[in-house]
Amino acid sequence: MHEPIYDAVIIGGGPAGLNAALMLGRARKNAVVLDEGRPRNAVTREAHGFLTRDGIAPGELRRIAKEQISRYPGITFMEDTAQWVTGADGNFQITTSQGVILHCKKLLFTVGMKDRPLNIPGLTEVYGKSAFVCPYCDGWELRDEPWVILSNGADAMHFIPLIAGWTDRFTLCTNGPDGLTEAEREDLRRHGVPLYDTPIRSIESEEGIVQQVLLEDGTAIACRAIFFRPDLRIGSDLPQTLGCEVTEAGTVVVDEFGRTSVPGVYSAGDAVTMRHQAIAAASSGAMAAAALNNELNLDAWRNHG
């Protein structure tokens, strides 16, 4: 008995992958959404900035999405991990960690990003509860509260004017050499921004809510929120293994339609950009799925004309 050949396999089941599945289901395509069930935003209690779903729990957003997608019989969900991909456009083969082999015509990587280990003691305990990476996602709930910004160099000088729109009570901790010019330090002094370059000993919290940042010299900085830039890696190395071009930052290079440098392979969502917003990822997945579907239809037209 021959294995079925799906129109597409979507590797990754976050907002990008789910919206792609919705588009392909409505386009009458047969596709599998392959996802390990461990999303990066599982640490957060609420997702924000997603129209009609502001404040929803990330798991609930996925539940509703799957419920709505289930109306379309062509879409199948598998909780598994893609371990290996071989083949070429029109005939890809995916082997999963559970030994399942899937055959498909097109591939769509929506693998997102994963956090590398957080190297500051106590940061893991507050991440997603009172330590965040995006003020657009979580700044409103912490407006006017005292924040500590963990950053340095050019990243810090980019971030600080941005977050000043949510609170004017913040301190910059660089956890070592600040990487700033004297002109930048003077700019911080002029705006009354405290700067500490002493390494951080620990972040002290109660039930996930940060109380203070303790430096190695004993300085304690009271705060109710921490914002920091995470150290991220792409959620899977399969795109690169397959030959897709990637940037120095590790994101997959795609054109405006989500096409990678490998024929028949698409990518969308956080895997292709450093601008991480759930609603933007969903939009990216929808557009890539539409382009993938158009290519499938054109292939069928040419082959049966």
Side-chain angles (χ1 to χ4, degrees), residues 202-280:
S202 65
I203 294 170
E204 300 183 351
S205 62
E206 293 181 7
E207 298 182 350
I209 305 304
V210 61
Q211 303 298 307
Q212 62 182 16
V213 175
L214 185 63
L215 305 184
E216 287 289 0
D217 63 5
T219 301
I221 305 167
C223 62
R224 290 296 174 269
I226 291 173
F227 279 80
F228 69 102
R229 182 172 181 176
D231 184 11
L232 300 174
R233 61 178 175 84
I234 193 169
S236 170
D237 61 3
L238 286 177
Q240 189 170 8
T241 300
L242 197 58
C244 298
E245 182 183 355
V246 299
T247 67
E248 290 184 5
T251 55
V252 181
V253 176
V254 295
D255 66 10
E256 61 182 315
F257 303 106
R259 288 186 292 238
T260 72
S261 57
V262 176
V265 180
Y266 291 73
S267 188
D270 288 357
V272 305
T273 180
M274 299 304 290
R275 299 184 178 92
H276 300 157
Q277 293 278 340
I279 197 164

Side-chain angles (χ1 to χ4, degrees), residues 282-300:
S283 173
S284 173
M287 294 300 99
L292 185 157
N293 179 66
N294 290 346
E295 189 174 326
L296 284 169
N297 289 348
L298 185 57
D299 290 346

Side-chain angles (χ1 to χ4, degrees), residues 30-164:
N30 295 315
V32 176
V33 180
L34 193 60
D35 183 68
E36 64 183 2
R38 293 185 292 173
R40 178 176 171 239
N41 67 355
V43 300
T44 63
R45 296 171 178 171
E46 298 178 344
H48 292 281
F50 204 114
L51 192 64
T52 78
R53 292 292 182 265
D54 190 48
I56 194 171
E60 180 66 1
L61 180 65
R62 286 173 170 77
R63 187 196 67 77
I64 293 171
K66 289 181 179 180
E67 181 182 90
Q68 294 183 347
I69 294 167
S70 67
R71 303 171 189 168
Y72 304 100
I75 305 301
T76 303
F77 291 94
M78 291 182 60
E79 188 166 318
D80 204 343
T81 304
Q83 292 282 63
W84 194 252
V85 178
T86 57
D89 188 15
N91 185 21
F92 292 104
Q93 178 175 298
I94 300 96
T95 303
T96 77
S97 60
Q98 296 179 21
V100 177
I101 296 176
L102 301 171
H103 299 269
C104 63
K105 300 173 185 175
K106 308 291 181 184
L107 277 174
L108 174 53
F109 286 104
T110 56
V111 293
M113 289 288 186
K114 291 189 180 298
D115 292 287
R116 297 184 190 276
L118 304 175
N119 60 2
I120 298 175
L123 185 54
T124 298
E125 287 76 7
V126 297
Y127 185 26
K129 301 178 182 70
S130 57
F132 304 100
V133 300
C134 173
Y136 289 101
C137 300
D138 299 288
W140 169 263
E141 286 70 27
L142 296 160
R143 61 196 183 279
D144 297 326
E145 294 286 353
W147 297 8
V148 163
I149 310 304
L150 303 183
S151 188
N152 58 23
D155 285 340
M157 297 310 295
H158 168 76
F159 193 54
I160 283 174
L162 172 68
I163 62 98

